[in-house]
Coordinates of all heavy atoms in Angstrom, one line a residue:
M291 N 0.8 -1.2 0.0 CA 0.0 0.0 0.0 C 0.9 1.3 0.0 O 0.5 2.2 -0.6 CB -0.9 0.0 1.2 CG -1.9 1.1 1.3 SD -3.0 1.0 -0.1 CE -4.3 2.0 0.5
R292 N 2.0 1.2 0.7 CA 2.9 2.3 0.8 C 3.3 2.8 -0.7 O 3.3 3.9 -1.0 CB 4.1 2.0 1.6 CG 5.0 3.2 1.8 CD 6.1 2.8 2.8 NE 7.0 3.9 3.1 CZ 8.0 4.4 2.4 NH1 8.3 3.7 1.3 NH2 8.7 5.4 2.7
N293 N 3.7 1.8 -1.5 CA 4.2 2.1 -2.8 C 3.0 2.7 -3.6 O 3.3 3.5 -4.5 CB 4.7 0.8 -3.5 CG 6.1 0.4 -3.0 OD1 6.7 1.1 -2.2 ND2 6.5 -0.8 -3.3
S294 N 1.8 2.2 -3.4 CA 0.7 2.7 -4.1 C 0.5 4.2 -3.9 O 0.3 4.9 -4.8 CB -0.6 1.9 -3.7 OG -1.7 2.5 -4.3
K295 N 0.5 4.6 -2.6 CA 0.4 6.1 -2.3 C 1.6 6.9 -2.9 O 1.4 8.0 -3.4 CB 0.3 6.3 -0.8 CG -1.0 5.9 -0.2 CD -2.1 6.8 -0.7 CE -3.4 6.4 -0.1 NZ -4.5 7.2 -0.6
R296 N 2.8 6.3 -2.8 CA 3.9 7.0 -3.3 C 3.8 7.1 -4.8 O 4.0 8.2 -5.3 CB 5.2 6.1 -3.0 CG 6.5 6.6 -3.6 CD 7.6 5.6 -3.5 NE 8.7 5.9 -4.3 CZ 9.8 6.5 -3.9 NH1 9.9 6.9 -2.7 NH2 10.8 6.7 -4.8
N297 N 3.4 6.1 -5.5 CA 3.3 6.2 -7.0 C 2.1 7.1 -7.4 O 2.3 7.8 -8.4 CB 3.0 4.8 -7.6 CG 4.3 3.9 -7.5 OD1 5.4 4.4 -7.3 ND2 4.1 2.6 -7.7
Q298 N 1.1 7.2 -6.6 CA 0.0 8.1 -6.9 C 0.5 9.6 -6.8 O 0.3 10.4 -7.7 CB -1.1 8.0 -5.8 CG -2.1 6.9 -6.1 CD -3.3 7.0 -5.1 OE1 -3.7 8.0 -4.7 NE2 -3.8 5.8 -4.8
T299 N 1.3 9.8 -5.7 CA 1.8 11.2 -5.5 C 2.8 11.5 -6.6 O 2.7 12.7 -7.1 CB 2.6 11.2 -4.1 OG1 1.6 10.8 -3.1 CG2 3.1 12.6 -3.9
I300 N 3.6 10.6 -7.0 CA 4.6 10.9 -8.1 C 3.8 11.1 -9.4 O 4.1 12.1 -10.2 CB 5.6 9.7 -8.3 CG1 6.5 9.6 -7.1 CG2 6.4 9.9 -9.6 CD1 7.3 8.3 -7.0
A301 N 2.8 10.3 -9.8 CA 2.1 10.5 -11.0 C 1.4 11.8 -11.0 O 1.4 12.5 -12.1 CB 1.1 9.3 -11.2
I302 N 0.8 12.2 -9.9 CA 0.1 13.5 -9.8 C 1.1 14.7 -10.0 O 0.9 15.6 -10.8 CB -0.7 13.7 -8.5 CG1 -1.9 12.7 -8.5 CG2 -1.2 15.1 -8.3 CD1 -2.5 12.5 -7.1
A303 N 2.2 14.6 -9.3 CA 3.3 15.6 -9.4 C 3.8 15.7 -10.8 O 4.0 16.8 -11.3 CB 4.4 15.4 -8.4
R304 N 4.0 14.6 -11.5 CA 4.5 14.6 -12.9 C 3.5 15.3 -13.8 O 3.9 16.1 -14.6 CB 4.8 13.2 -13.4 CG 6.0 12.6 -12.8 CD 6.4 11.2 -13.4 NE 6.9 11.5 -14.7 CZ 6.4 10.9 -15.8 NH1 5.4 10.1 -15.7 NH2 6.9 11.2 -17.0
F305 N 2.3 15.0 -13.6 CA 1.2 15.6 -14.5 C 1.2 17.1 -14.2 O 1.1 17.9 -15.2 CB -0.1 15.0 -14.2 CG -1.2 15.7 -15.0 CD1 -1.4 15.5 -16.3 CD2 -2.0 16.6 -14.3 CE1 -2.4 16.2 -17.0 CE2 -3.0 17.3 -14.9 CZ -3.2 17.1 -16.3
L306 N 1.2 17.5 -13.0 CA 1.1 18.9 -12.7 C 2.3 19.7 -13.2 O 2.2 20.8 -13.7 CB 0.9 19.2 -11.2 CG -0.5 18.7 -10.6 CD1 -0.5 18.8 -9.1 CD2 -1.6 19.5 -11.3
M307 N 3.5 19.2 -13.0 CA 4.7 19.8 -13.6 C 4.6 19.9 -15.1 O 5.1 20.9 -15.7 CB 6.0 19.1 -13.1 CG 6.3 19.4 -11.6 SD 6.4 21.2 -11.2 CE 7.7 21.7 -12.3
Y308 N 4.2 18.9 -15.7 CA 4.0 18.9 -17.2 C 3.1 20.0 -17.6 O 3.3 20.8 -18.5 CB 3.5 17.5 -17.7 CG 3.1 17.6 -19.1 CD1 4.1 17.4 -20.1 CD2 1.8 17.8 -19.6 CE1 3.8 17.4 -21.5 CE2 1.5 17.8 -20.9 CZ 2.5 17.7 -21.9 OH 2.2 17.7 -23.2
K309 N 1.9 20.1 -16.9 CA 1.0 21.2 -17.1 C 1.6 22.6 -16.9 O 1.4 23.5 -17.7 CB -0.2 21.0 -16.2 CG -1.2 22.1 -16.1 CD -2.1 22.2 -17.3 CE -2.9 23.5 -17.1 NZ -4.3 23.4 -17.4
H310 N 2.3 22.7 -15.9 CA 3.0 24.0 -15.6 C 4.0 24.4 -16.7 O 4.0 25.5 -17.2 CB 3.7 23.9 -14.2 CG 4.6 25.1 -14.0 ND1 4.2 26.3 -13.6 CD2 6.0 25.2 -14.0 CE1 5.2 27.1 -13.5 NE2 6.3 26.5 -13.7
N311 N 4.8 23.4 -17.1 CA 5.8 23.7 -18.1 C 5.1 24.0 -19.5 O 5.6 24.9 -20.2 CB 6.8 22.5 -18.3 CG 7.7 22.4 -17.1 OD1 8.0 23.3 -16.4 ND2 8.1 21.2 -16.8
L312 N 4.1 23.3 -19.8 CA 3.3 23.5 -21.0 C 2.7 24.9 -21.0 O 2.8 25.6 -22.0 CB 2.2 22.4 -21.2 CG 1.4 22.5 -22.4 CD1 2.3 22.3 -23.7 CD2 0.3 21.4 -22.4
N313 N 2.1 25.3 -19.9 CA 1.6 26.6 -19.8 C 2.6 27.7 -20.0 O 2.3 28.7 -20.7 CB 0.9 26.9 -18.4 CG -0.4 26.2 -18.3 OD1 -1.0 25.8 -19.3 ND2 -0.9 26.0 -17.0
Q314 N 3.8 27.5 -19.5 CA 4.9 28.5 -19.7 C 5.3 28.6 -21.1 O 5.5 29.7 -21.6 CB 6.1 28.1 -18.8 CG 5.9 28.4 -17.4 CD 7.2 28.2 -16.6 OE1 8.0 27.2 -16.9 NE2 7.5 29.0 -15.7
Q315 N 5.3 27.4 -21.8 CA 5.7 27.5 -23.2 C 4.6 28.1 -24.1 O 4.9 28.9 -25.0 CB 5.9 26.0 -23.7 CG 7.1 25.4 -23.2 CD 7.3 24.0 -23.7 OE1 6.3 23.2 -23.6 NE2 8.4 23.6 -24.2
L316 N 3.3 27.9 -23.7 CA 2.2 28.4 -24.5 C 2.0 29.9 -24.3 O 1.5 30.6 -25.2 CB 0.9 27.7 -24.1 CG 0.8 26.2 -24.7 CD1 -0.4 25.6 -24.0 CD2 0.7 26.2 -26.2
D317 N 2.5 30.4 -23.1 CA 2.3 31.8 -22.8 C 2.9 32.8 -23.8 O 2.3 33.8 -24.2 CB 2.8 32.2 -21.4 CG 1.9 31.9 -20.3 OD1 0.7 31.6 -20.6 OD2 2.3 31.8 -19.1
G318 N 4.0 32.4 -24.4 CA 4.7 33.3 -25.3 C 4.5 32.9 -26.8 O 5.1 33.5 -27.6
M319 N 3.6 32.0 -27.0 CA 3.5 31.4 -28.4 C 2.2 32.0 -29.1 O 1.2 32.0 -28.5 CB 3.4 29.9 -28.2 CG 3.5 29.1 -29.5 SD 3.5 27.3 -29.3 CE 5.2 27.1 -29.0
T320 N 2.4 32.4 -30.3 CA 1.3 32.8 -31.1 C 0.6 31.6 -31.7 O 1.1 30.5 -31.7 CB 1.7 33.7 -32.3 OG1 2.5 32.9 -33.2 CG2 2.5 34.9 -31.8
D321 N -0.6 31.8 -32.2 CA -1.4 30.7 -32.8 C -0.6 30.2 -34.0 O -0.6 29.0 -34.2 CB -2.8 31.2 -33.2 CG -3.7 31.5 -32.1 OD1 -3.4 31.1 -31.0 OD2 -4.7 32.2 -32.3
E322 N 0.0 31.1 -34.8 CA 0.7 30.6 -35.9 C 1.9 29.8 -35.6 O 2.2 28.8 -36.2 CB 1.2 31.8 -36.8 CG 0.1 32.6 -37.4 CD -0.6 33.6 -36.5 OE1 -0.1 33.9 -35.4 OE2 -1.8 33.9 -36.8
E323 N 2.6 30.1 -34.5 CA 3.8 29.4 -34.0 C 3.3 28.0 -33.5 O 4.0 27.0 -33.8 CB 4.5 30.1 -32.9 CG 5.2 31.3 -33.3 CD 5.8 32.1 -32.2 OE1 5.1 32.2 -31.1 OE2 6.8 32.7 -32.3
Y324 N 2.2 28.0 -32.8 CA 1.7 26.7 -32.4 C 1.3 25.8 -33.5 O 1.6 24.6 -33.5 CB 0.5 26.9 -31.4 CG -0.1 25.6 -30.9 CD1 0.5 24.9 -29.9 CD2 -1.2 25.0 -31.6 CE1 0.0 23.7 -29.4 CE2 -1.7 23.7 -31.1 CZ -1.0 23.1 -30.1 OH -1.5 21.9 -29.7
L325 N 0.6 26.3 -34.5 CA 0.2 25.5 -35.7 C 1.4 25.0 -36.4 O 1.3 23.9 -37.0 CB -0.7 26.3 -36.6 CG -2.1 26.6 -36.0 CD1 -2.9 27.6 -36.9 CD2 -2.9 25.3 -35.8
A326 N 2.5 25.8 -36.5 CA 3.7 25.4 -37.2 C 4.4 24.3 -36.4 O 5.1 23.4 -37.0 CB 4.6 26.6 -37.4
D327 N 4.3 24.3 -35.1 CA 5.0 23.3 -34.3 C 4.2 23.1 -33.0 O 4.5 23.6 -31.9 CB 6.4 23.9 -33.9 CG 7.3 22.9 -33.2 OD1 7.0 21.7 -33.2 OD2 8.3 23.3 -32.5
P328 N 3.2 22.3 -33.1 CA 2.3 22.0 -31.9 C 3.1 21.4 -30.7 O 3.9 20.5 -30.9 CB 1.3 21.0 -32.4 CG 1.4 21.1 -33.9 CD 2.7 21.5 -34.2
I329 N 2.8 21.8 -29.6 CA 3.4 21.3 -28.3 C 2.2 20.7 -27.5 O 1.1 21.1 -27.7 CB 4.2 22.3 -27.6 CG1 3.3 23.5 -27.1 CG2 5.4 22.8 -28.4 CD1 4.0 24.4 -26.2
G330 N 2.6 19.9 -26.5 CA 1.6 19.3 -25.6 C 0.9 18.1 -26.1 O 0.0 17.6 -25.4
L331 N 1.4 17.6 -27.2 CA 0.7 16.4 -27.7 C 1.1 15.1 -27.0 O 0.5 14.0 -27.2 CB 1.0 16.2 -29.2 CG 0.6 17.4 -30.1 CD1 0.9 17.2 -31.5 CD2 -0.9 17.7 -29.9
D332 N 2.1 15.2 -26.1 CA 2.6 14.0 -25.4 C 1.9 13.9 -24.0 O 2.3 13.1 -23.2 CB 4.1 14.0 -25.2 CG 4.6 15.3 -24.6 OD1 3.9 16.3 -24.6 OD2 5.8 15.4 -24.2
V333 N 0.8 14.7 -23.8 CA 0.1 14.7 -22.5 C -0.4 13.3 -22.2 O -0.6 12.9 -21.0 CB -1.0 15.7 -22.5 CG1 -2.1 15.4 -23.5 CG2 -1.6 15.9 -21.1
G334 N -0.7 12.5 -23.2 CA -1.3 11.2 -23.0 C -0.5 10.3 -22.1 O -1.0 9.5 -21.3
A335 N 0.9 10.4 -22.1 CA 1.7 9.6 -21.3 C 1.5 9.9 -19.8 O 1.5 9.1 -18.9 CB 3.2 9.8 -21.6
Y336 N 1.3 11.2 -19.5 CA 1.1 11.7 -18.1 C -0.3 11.3 -17.6 O -0.4 10.8 -16.5 CB 1.3 13.2 -18.1 CG 2.7 13.6 -18.4 CD1 3.1 13.8 -19.7 CD2 3.7 13.6 -17.4 CE1 4.4 14.2 -20.0 CE2 5.0 13.9 -17.7 CZ 5.4 14.2 -19.0 OH 6.7 14.5 -19.2
V337 N -1.3 11.3 -18.5 CA -2.6 10.9 -18.1 C -2.6 9.4 -17.9 O -3.3 8.9 -17.0 CB -3.7 11.4 -19.2 CG1 -5.0 10.8 -18.9 CG2 -3.7 12.9 -19.2
K338 N -1.9 8.7 -18.8 CA -1.8 7.2 -18.6 C -1.3 6.8 -17.3 O -1.8 5.9 -16.6 CB -1.0 6.7 -19.8 CG -0.9 5.2 -19.7 CD 0.0 4.7 -20.9 CE 0.1 3.2 -20.9 NZ 1.0 2.7 -21.9
D339 N -0.2 7.5 -16.8 CA 0.3 7.3 -15.5 C -0.7 7.6 -14.4 O -0.8 6.8 -13.4 CB 1.6 8.1 -15.2 CG 2.8 7.4 -15.8 OD1 2.8 6.3 -16.2 OD2 3.9 8.1 -15.7
L340 N -1.4 8.7 -14.6 CA -2.5 9.0 -13.6 C -3.5 7.9 -13.5 O -3.8 7.4 -12.4 CB -3.2 10.3 -14.0 CG -2.5 11.6 -13.6 CD1 -3.3 12.8 -14.2 CD2 -2.3 11.8 -12.2
M341 N -3.9 7.4 -14.7 CA -4.9 6.3 -14.7 C -4.4 5.0 -14.1 O -5.1 4.2 -13.6 CB -5.4 6.1 -16.1 CG -6.1 7.3 -16.7 SD -7.6 7.8 -15.8 CE -8.7 6.5 -16.2
R342 N -3.1 4.8 -14.3 CA -2.5 3.6 -13.9 C -2.3 3.5 -12.3 O -2.5 2.5 -11.7 CB -1.1 3.4 -14.5 CG -0.3 2.2 -14.1 CD 1.0 2.1 -14.8 NE 1.6 0.8 -14.5 CZ 2.8 0.5 -15.0 NH1 3.4 1.3 -15.8 NH2 3.3 -0.6 -14.6
Y343 N -2.0 4.7 -11.7 CA -1.6 4.7 -10.3 C -2.7 5.3 -9.4 O -2.6 5.2 -8.2 CB -0.3 5.4 -10.1 CG 0.9 4.8 -10.7 CD1 1.5 5.3 -11.8 CD2 1.3 3.5 -10.3 CE1 2.6 4.7 -12.4 CE2 2.4 2.9 -10.9 CZ 3.0 3.5 -11.9 OH 4.1 2.9 -12.5
C344 N -3.7 5.9 -10.0 CA -4.7 6.6 -9.2 C -6.1 6.1 -9.5 O -6.4 5.8 -10.6 CB -4.7 8.1 -9.5 SG -3.1 8.9 -9.2
P345 N -6.9 6.1 -8.4 CA -8.3 5.7 -8.7 C -9.0 6.8 -9.5 O -8.5 7.9 -9.6 CB -9.0 5.7 -7.3 CG -7.8 5.8 -6.3 CD -6.6 6.3 -7.0
E346 N -10.0 6.4 -10.2 CA -10.7 7.3 -11.2 C -11.1 8.6 -10.5 O -11.0 9.7 -11.1 CB -11.9 6.6 -11.8 CG -12.5 7.4 -13.0 CD -13.6 6.7 -13.7 OE1 -13.6 5.4 -13.6 OE2 -14.3 7.3 -14.4
N347 N -11.7 8.5 -9.3 CA -12.1 9.8 -8.6 C -11.0 10.7 -8.3 O -11.1 11.9 -8.4 CB -12.9 9.4 -7.4 CG -12.0 8.8 -6.3 OD1 -11.2 7.9 -6.5 ND2 -12.2 9.3 -5.0
V348 N -9.8 10.2 -8.1 CA -8.6 11.0 -7.8 C -8.2 11.7 -9.2 O -7.9 12.9 -9.2 CB -7.4 10.2 -7.2 CG1 -6.2 11.1 -7.2 CG2 -7.8 9.8 -5.8
V349 N -8.2 11.0 -10.2 CA -7.8 11.5 -11.5 C -8.8 12.6 -11.9 O -8.4 13.7 -12.3 CB -7.9 10.4 -12.6 CG1 -7.6 11.1 -14.0 CG2 -6.8 9.4 -12.4
D350 N -10.1 12.4 -11.7 CA -11.1 13.4 -11.9 C -10.9 14.7 -11.1 O -11.0 15.8 -11.6 CB -12.5 12.9 -11.6 CG -13.0 11.9 -12.6 OD1 -12.4 11.7 -13.7 OD2 -14.0 11.1 -12.3
Q351 N -10.5 14.5 -9.8 CA -10.2 15.7 -9.0 C -9.0 16.4 -9.4 O -9.0 17.7 -9.5 CB -10.1 15.2 -7.5 CG -11.4 14.8 -6.9 CD -11.2 14.3 -5.5 OE1 -10.1 14.1 -5.0 NE2 -12.3 14.1 -4.8
V352 N -8.0 15.7 -9.8 CA -6.7 16.4 -10.3 C -7.0 17.1 -11.6 O -6.6 18.3 -11.7 CB -5.6 15.3 -10.5 CG1 -4.4 15.9 -11.3 CG2 -5.1 14.7 -9.2
M353 N -7.8 16.5 -12.5 CA -8.1 17.2 -13.7 C -8.9 18.5 -13.5 O -8.7 19.5 -14.1 CB -8.8 16.3 -14.7 CG -8.0 15.2 -15.2 SD -6.6 15.8 -16.2 CE -6.0 14.3 -16.8
E354 N -9.9 18.4 -12.6 CA -10.8 19.5 -12.3 C -10.1 20.6 -11.6 O -10.4 21.8 -11.9 CB -12.0 19.0 -11.5 CG -13.0 20.1 -11.2 CD -14.2 19.6 -10.4 OE1 -14.4 18.3 -10.3 OE2 -14.9 20.4 -9.9
H355 N -9.1 20.3 -10.8 CA -8.5 21.3 -9.9 C -7.0 21.5 -10.2 O -6.3 22.0 -9.3 CB -8.7 20.9 -8.4 CG -10.1 20.8 -8.0 ND1 -11.0 21.8 -7.9 CD2 -10.8 19.7 -7.7 CE1 -12.2 21.4 -7.6 NE2 -12.1 20.1 -7.5
Q356 N -6.5 21.2 -11.4 CA -5.1 21.2 -11.6 C -4.5 22.6 -11.4 O -3.4 22.6 -10.9 CB -4.8 20.6 -13.0 CG -5.6 21.3 -14.2 CD -5.4 20.5 -15.4 OE1 -4.3 20.4 -15.9 NE2 -6.5 20.0 -16.0
D357 N -5.1 23.6 -11.9 CA -4.5 25.0 -11.7 C -4.4 25.3 -10.2 O -3.4 25.9 -9.8 CB -5.3 26.0 -12.5 CG -5.2 25.8 -14.0 OD1 -4.1 25.4 -14.4 OD2 -6.1 26.0 -14.7
A358 N -5.5 25.0 -9.5 CA -5.5 25.3 -8.0 C -4.4 24.5 -7.3 O -3.7 25.0 -6.4 CB -6.9 25.1 -7.4
L359 N -4.3 23.2 -7.7 CA -3.3 22.4 -7.1 C -1.9 22.9 -7.3 O -1.0 23.0 -6.5 CB -3.4 21.0 -7.6 CG -4.5 20.1 -7.1 CD1 -4.7 18.9 -7.9 CD2 -4.3 19.8 -5.6
L360 N -1.6 23.4 -8.6 CA -0.3 24.0 -8.9 C 0.0 25.2 -8.0 O 1.1 25.4 -7.5 CB -0.3 24.4 -10.4 CG 0.2 23.4 -11.3 CD1 -0.1 23.8 -12.8 CD2 1.7 23.1 -11.1
R361 N -1.0 26.1 -7.9 CA -0.8 27.3 -7.0 C -0.6 26.9 -5.6 O 0.3 27.5 -4.9 CB -2.0 28.2 -7.2 CG -2.1 29.0 -8.4 CD -3.1 30.1 -8.4 NE -4.5 29.6 -8.1 CZ -5.3 29.1 -9.1 NH1 -4.9 29.1 -10.3 NH2 -6.5 28.7 -8.7
R362 N -1.3 25.9 -5.1 CA -1.3 25.6 -3.7 C 0.0 24.8 -3.3 O 0.7 25.1 -2.3 CB -2.5 24.7 -3.3 CG -2.4 24.2 -1.8 CD -3.6 23.6 -1.4 NE -4.6 24.6 -1.0 CZ -5.8 24.4 -0.6 NH1 -6.2 23.1 -0.5 NH2 -6.6 25.3 -0.3
L363 N 0.4 23.9 -4.2 CA 1.6 23.0 -3.8 C 2.9 23.7 -4.2 O 3.9 23.5 -3.6 CB 1.4 21.7 -4.5 CG 0.3 20.8 -4.1 CD1 0.1 19.6 -4.9 CD2 0.4 20.5 -2.6
G364 N 2.9 24.5 -5.3 CA 4.1 25.2 -5.7 C 5.0 24.3 -6.6 O 5.1 23.1 -6.3
T365 N 5.7 24.9 -7.5 CA 6.5 24.1 -8.4 C 7.8 23.6 -7.8 O 8.3 22.5 -8.2 CB 6.8 24.9 -9.7 OG1 7.4 26.1 -9.3 CG2 5.5 25.1 -10.5
D366 N 8.3 24.2 -6.8 CA 9.5 23.7 -6.1 C 9.2 22.4 -5.5 O 10.0 21.4 -5.7 CB 10.0 24.7 -5.1 CG 10.6 26.0 -5.6 OD1 10.9 26.0 -6.8 OD2 10.6 27.0 -4.9
Y367 N 8.2 22.3 -4.8 CA 7.8 21.0 -4.1 C 7.5 19.9 -5.2 O 8.0 18.8 -5.1 CB 6.6 21.2 -3.2 CG 6.0 20.0 -2.6 CD1 6.6 19.2 -1.6 CD2 4.8 19.5 -3.1 CE1 6.1 18.1 -1.1 CE2 4.2 18.3 -2.7 CZ 4.9 17.6 -1.7 OH 4.4 16.4 -1.2
L368 N 6.7 20.3 -6.1 CA 6.2 19.3 -7.1 C 7.4 18.8 -8.0 O 7.4 17.6 -8.4 CB 5.2 19.9 -8.0 CG 3.8 20.1 -7.4 CD1 2.9 20.9 -8.3 CD2 3.2 18.8 -7.1
S369 N 8.4 19.7 -8.3 CA 9.5 19.2 -9.1 C 10.3 18.2 -8.4 O 10.8 17.3 -9.1 CB 10.3 20.4 -9.6 OG 11.0 21.0 -8.5
V370 N 10.5 18.3 -7.1 CA 11.2 17.3 -6.3 C 10.5 15.9 -6.4 O 11.1 14.9 -6.7 CB 11.4 17.7 -4.9 CG1 11.9 16.6 -4.0 CG2 12.3 18.9 -4.8
I371 N 9.2 15.9 -6.2 CA 8.4 14.7 -6.2 C 8.3 14.1 -7.6 O 8.4 12.9 -7.8 CB 6.9 15.0 -5.7 CG1 7.0 15.6 -4.2 CG2 6.1 13.7 -5.7 CD1 7.6 14.7 -3.2
A372 N 8.2 15.0 -8.6 CA 8.0 14.5 -10.0 C 9.1 13.7 -10.5 O 9.0 12.8 -11.4 CB 7.7 15.7 -10.9
F373 N 10.3 13.9 -10.0 CA 11.5 13.2 -10.5 C 11.9 11.9 -9.6 O 12.9 11.3 -9.9 CB 12.7 14.1 -10.6 CG 12.5 15.1 -11.7 CD1 12.2 16.4 -11.4 CD2 12.6 14.7 -13.0 CE1 12.0 17.4 -12.4 CE2 12.4 15.6 -14.0 CZ 12.0 17.0 -13.7
M374 N 11.0 11.6 -8.7 CA 11.2 10.4 -7.9 C 10.9 9.2 -8.7 O 9.9 9.2 -9.5 CB 10.4 10.4 -6.6 CG 10.8 11.5 -5.6 SD 9.7 11.6 -4.2 CE 10.1 10.1 -3.3
P375 N 11.6 8.1 -8.5 CA 11.2 6.9 -9.3 C 10.0 6.2 -8.7 O 9.8 6.2 -7.5 CB 12.5 6.0 -9.2 CG 13.1 6.4 -7.9 CD 12.8 7.9 -7.7
Y376 N 9.2 5.5 -9.6 CA 8.1 4.7 -9.2 C 8.6 3.4 -8.6 O 9.6 2.9 -9.0 CB 7.2 4.3 -10.4 CG 6.5 5.5 -11.0 CD1 6.8 5.9 -12.3 CD2 5.4 6.1 -10.3 CE1 6.1 6.9 -12.9 CE2 4.7 7.2 -10.9 CZ 5.1 7.6 -12.2 OH 4.4 8.6 -12.8
E377 N 7.9 2.9 -7.6 CA 8.3 1.6 -7.0 C 7.3 0.6 -7.5 O 6.1 0.7 -7.2 CB 8.4 1.6 -5.5 CG 9.5 2.5 -5.0 CD 9.6 2.6 -3.5 OE1 8.8 1.9 -2.8 OE2 10.4 3.3 -3.0
E378 N 7.7 -0.5 -8.2 CA 6.8 -1.5 -8.7 C 7.4 -2.9 -8.6 O 8.5 -3.1 -8.9 CB 6.5 -1.2 -10.2 CG 5.8 0.0 -10.5 CD 5.6 0.2 -12.0 OE1 6.2 -0.5 -12.8 OE2 4.7 1.0 -12.3
D379 N 6.6 -3.8 -8.1 CA 6.9 -5.2 -8.1 C 8.3 -5.5 -7.5 O 9.1 -6.3 -8.0 CB 6.8 -5.8 -9.5 CG 5.5 -5.7 -10.1 OD1 4.5 -5.8 -9.4 OD2 5.4 -5.5 -11.3
G380 N 8.6 -4.8 -6.4 CA 9.9 -5.0 -5.8 C 11.1 -4.3 -6.5 O 12.2 -4.4 -6.1
G381 N 10.8 -3.6 -7.6 CA 11.8 -2.9 -8.3 C 11.5 -1.4 -8.4 O 10.6 -0.9 -7.8
V382 N 12.3 -0.7 -9.3 CA 12.2 0.7 -9.4 C 12.0 1.0 -10.9 O 12.7 0.4 -11.8 CB 13.4 1.4 -8.9 CG1 13.4 2.9 -9.2 CG2 13.5 1.2 -7.4
R383 N 11.1 2.0 -11.2 CA 10.9 2.4 -12.6 C 11.1 3.9 -12.7 O 10.5 4.6 -11.9 CB 9.5 2.0 -13.1 CG 9.3 2.4 -14.6 CD 8.0 2.0 -15.1 NE 6.8 2.8 -14.6 CZ 6.4 3.8 -15.3 NH1 6.9 4.2 -16.4 NH2 5.3 4.5 -14.8
Y384 N 12.0 4.3 -13.5 CA 12.1 5.8 -13.7 C 11.3 6.2 -14.9 O 11.2 5.6 -15.9 CB 13.6 6.1 -14.0 CG 14.5 5.8 -12.8 CD1 15.1 4.6 -12.6 CD2 14.7 6.8 -11.9 CE1 15.8 4.3 -11.5 CE2 15.5 6.6 -10.8 CZ 16.0 5.3 -10.6 OH 16.8 5.1 -9.5
A385 N 10.6 7.3 -14.7 CA 9.7 7.9 -15.7 C 10.5 8.6 -16.8 O 11.6 9.0 -16.6 CB 8.7 8.8 -15.1

C-alpha cells in the first residue's frame, strides 16, 4: 500500500509539472507558431500514469483542480516529487 500512495503522488506531481511547463511554453506562443510546431501532444503519457496509479475519482479531482493544485503546492515541491522513481513489483521504474 505504501508504494501505491507513493506512486499516486509521483504520478500527480509529474502531471502537474507537465501542465506548468506547458503553460509556460504556451504563454509566449502565437497561434501561428503553435500551428507550425504544436506542443503538448505528449500529454497522454502523463494521463496514462495518472490512470495507472490513481483511482478514477482522484484523476477526476486532479483534472478538475489542476490549476489550483499547482498554485497551492508550488512548483518547487512538485518538481522534487515528480522526479522520484516509481516503485513497482519490488523494483524501481524511472519515468
Side-chain angles (χ1 to χ4, degrees):
M291 184 64 160
R292 183 176 186 276
N293 289 348
S294 176
K295 287 291 185 186
R296 173 191 166 96
N297 289 345
Q298 278 187 36
T299 303
I300 293 167
I302 292 168
R304 287 187 71 235
F305 173 77
L306 292 173
M307 284 306 298
Y308 174 82
K309 166 75 184 226
H310 170 73
N311 292 333
L312 184 60
N313 284 344
Q314 285 186 322
Q315 290 177 313
L316 289 170
D317 276 346
M319 191 176 272
T320 66
D321 291 343
E322 291 79 20
E323 290 171 328
Y324 180 81
L325 290 173
D327 187 20
I329 60 172
L331 302 178
D332 54 346
V333 69
Y336 295 90
V337 174
K338 183 178 176 182
D339 274 353
L340 282 176
M341 297 298 291
R342 180 177 184 180
Y343 296 112
C344 302
E346 188 174 342
N347 67 316
V348 172
V349 174
D350 291 344
Q351 288 177 349
V352 169
M353 293 298 188
E354 183 177 346
H355 302 289
Q356 54 191 296
D357 293 324
L359 286 166
L360 269 168
R361 283 190 302 275
R362 176 173 279 180
L363 297 172
T365 56
D366 290 340
Y367 171 75
L368 287 170
S369 65
V370 170
I371 302 300
F373 291 105
M374 294 176 70
Y376 293 112
E377 294 181 5
E378 294 180 343
D379 302 325
V382 174
R383 179 176 79 90
Y384 293 88

